[in-house]
Amino acid sequence: MKTLLPIPGSESALTLHRYPQRKNETLQAFDAADEYMIAHASTWSVGKNARILIINDQFGALSCWASQQGFDVFQVSDSVISQQATIENLAHNDLAGITQLTSLDTLPADIDAVMLRVPKSSKMLTWQLQQLASVTDAHTLVLASAKAKEIHTSTLNQFEHWLGATTTSLAKKKARLIFTTPTKQLVPQPDPVNDVDVPEFSMRLANWPNVFSAKKLDIAAYLMLPHIPSQAHLKRIVDLGCGNGVLALQAARNNPAAFIYAVDESHMAVASAKHNLNRHDIDSRRFLCEARDCLTGFEHTDIDLVLCNPPFHQQQTITDHIAWQMFCDAKRVLTTNGELLVIGNRHLGYHTKLKRLFGHVTVVASNKKFVILKAVNA
Ligand SMILES: C[S@@+](CC[C@H](N)C(=O)[O-])C[C@H]1O[C@@H](n2cnc3c(N)ncnc32)[C@H](O)[C@@H]1O
């Protein structure tokens, strides 16, 4: 696995790792889209102190490069993991700190250049381009990149629609660049939030654009809802990887005396969960919605129930290591006899993982595709 990213026009290289760093890591912290973008940005004639806005940097490769050039770097990210990876990679490479903003913060003004990794969600892209339109003009250099297969005509149309004239590069190592000249500043802003109704459970769930399954309720979440327990002894409940907070909300309703922690690594997920708990009249003294990498830094060890519909992607890569980290973290925070309730696709094999960790696992419900498992912290 490659950890050295050569810097164009110099003898030096950046050493980059994913976050959290794992033993025997097989996945790189940068890809061809990062390399292509850095190679192109190295040809820019911008001043030493130029203000560079970097959006959706994955593990900090772009931000580290820009910091190394001496630029004034503003990084916008929806992901706690990307933010943390950036902090660690800057430190490994002895680079100056940068300004980190979340996806919900207002973009800084007077930006000289923008480097944007095209996000997976087209709604997120719309939101980010529309934000960019208000801080860029025809003098701002705007460069975007993605894997070639992720750049569709509709993607380019979005750039044209929200910003201005757009062209693309040839593909290189299966990545492509997008160049845009921003000329459109007064386009009406779309509402970033999408409401999803779940009438069977009397829910209307708001979803900020980067939230998992923002357009319709995830089928696994829907299957999990009727199995969320309602028991008087449940005083502290964690919804781990809460997304829009659908499971947290049902847990709060079923257990009116319980305190609910809703945790996700996406800032937009955390904002959505908070909004949805408030919207459904859950007393704000009864819950806390927090952006974290799994339960890193979560100090409580008296949790009675953890609910988890784990992710099986990190950025664009399919992986089960986050699920494993979530299960390990759940075990650490559960009280004796505390329960972890997990839903997953059958083929993901969560049963084996949970058995290894907890010793015993019960099947609560299942259908052809999904299984709900319970593990008790004996
Ligand atoms: C399958 S979705 C489930 C969302 C929601 N609970 C539901 O059931 O619809 C998994 C969630 O885990 C979040 N996630 C991914 N990696 C994470 C991590 N390292 N720490 C915390 N949350 C994470 C994702 O942002 C996503 O919202």
Side-chain angles (χ1 to χ4, degrees), residues 81 212 221 241-243 246-247 264-265 292-294 309-311 322 326:
I81 291 177
F212 167 79
C242 62
V246 54
L247 305 181
D264 202 288
E265 76 99 24
R292 287 183 188 279
D293 170 27
C294 299
N309 175 9
I322 303 170
M326 286 184 166

Side-chain angles (χ1 to χ4, degrees), residues 20 81 210-213 217-218 220-222 224 239-247 263-266 269 292-295 307-314 322 325-326 343:
I81 291 177
N210 208 38
V211 173
F212 167 79
S213 208
L217 184 63
D218 176 47
Y222 183 75
M224 182 87 147
D239 178 359
L240 184 47
C242 62
N244 60 23
V246 54
L247 305 181
V263 175
D264 202 288
E265 76 99 24
S266 151
R292 287 183 188 279
D293 170 27
C294 299
L295 293 173
L307 302 168
C308 190
N309 175 9
F312 41 92
H313 285 99
Q314 186 177 43
I322 303 170
Q325 191 187 335
M326 286 184 166
I343 183 153

Side-chain angles (χ1 to χ4, degrees), residues 112-176:
D112 297 297
V114 178
M115 298 170 87
L116 167 80
R117 285 292 309 240
V118 176
K120 219 161 66 180
S121 142
S122 89
K123 200 133 202 288
M124 182 67 164
L125 180 60
T126 295
W127 157 257
Q128 293 185 319
L129 294 176
Q130 168 261 309
Q131 300 281 297
L132 273 179
S134 62
V135 297
T136 52
D137 61 26
H139 301 291
T140 320
L141 296 159
V142 177
L143 177 64
S145 77
K147 289 194 175 118
K149 65 176 186 199
E150 288 159 7
I151 301 179
H152 312 285
T153 309
S154 60
T155 317
L156 302 177
N157 289 343
Q158 278 176 282
F159 278 83
E160 291 265 356
H161 179 77
W162 296 108
L163 286 183
T166 297
T167 56
T168 58
S169 70
L170 293 173
K172 202 168 171 180
K173 289 203 232 161
K174 299 188 181 165
R176 266 169 86 188

Side-chain angles (χ1 to χ4, degrees), residues 173-338:
K173 289 203 232 161
K174 299 188 181 165
R176 266 169 86 188
L177 300 177
I178 300 173
F179 312 99
T180 298
T181 307
T183 47
K184 301 188 181 176
Q185 266 116 47
L186 295 170
V187 282
Q189 306 201 342
D191 184 357
V193 177
N194 188 48
D195 281 330
V196 169
D197 285 320
V198 193
E200 306 87 310
F201 290 88
S202 310
M203 291 182 184
R204 167 163 288 196
L205 300 166
N207 296 272
W208 265 256
N210 208 38
V211 173
F212 167 79
S213 208
K215 288 191 192 139
K216 70 179 192 0
L217 184 63
D218 176 47
I219 181 73
Y222 183 75
L223 294 173
M224 182 87 147
L225 284 173
H227 298 283
I228 294 178
S230 167
Q231 289 163 353
H233 76 274
L234 299 176
K235 295 286 186 278
R236 282 162 293 273
I237 300 175
V238 171
D239 178 359
L240 184 47
C242 62
N244 60 23
V246 54
L247 305 181
L249 173 56
Q250 190 63 15
R253 282 175 167 174
N254 286 2
N255 300 282
F259 188 90
I260 315 289
Y261 298 93
V263 175
D264 202 288
E265 76 99 24
S266 151
H267 293 288
M268 287 193 170
V270 172
S272 305
K274 188 172 174 193
H275 180 92
N276 289 324
L277 287 160
N278 278 321
R279 176 190 255 188
H280 292 85
D281 296 327
I282 306 300
D283 185 335
S284 59
R285 288 167 300 184
R286 283 189 56 212
F287 65 84
L288 187 62
C289 302
E290 291 184 308
R292 287 183 188 279
D293 170 27
C294 299
L295 293 173
T296 301
F298 186 86
E299 306 272 315
H300 310 272
T301 51
D302 55 357
I303 302 301
D304 301 302
L305 174 67
V306 176
L307 302 168
C308 190
N309 175 9
F312 41 92
H313 285 99
Q314 186 177 43
Q315 314 280 9
Q316 262 76 324
T317 316
I318 294 177
T319 168
D320 63 0
H321 80 268
I322 303 170
W324 177 247
Q325 191 187 335
M326 286 184 166
F327 301 162
C328 294
D329 284 4
K331 183 158 168 62
R332 176 176 55 79
V333 305
L334 280 172
T335 187
T336 306
N337 293 326

Side-chain angles (χ1 to χ4, degrees), residues 331 334 336-340 358-362 374-378:
K331 183 158 168 62
L334 280 172
T336 306
N337 293 326
E339 293 178 358
L340 168 62
F358 288 85
H360 185 71
V361 184
T362 325
K374 181 166 83 177
V376 180
N377 194 26

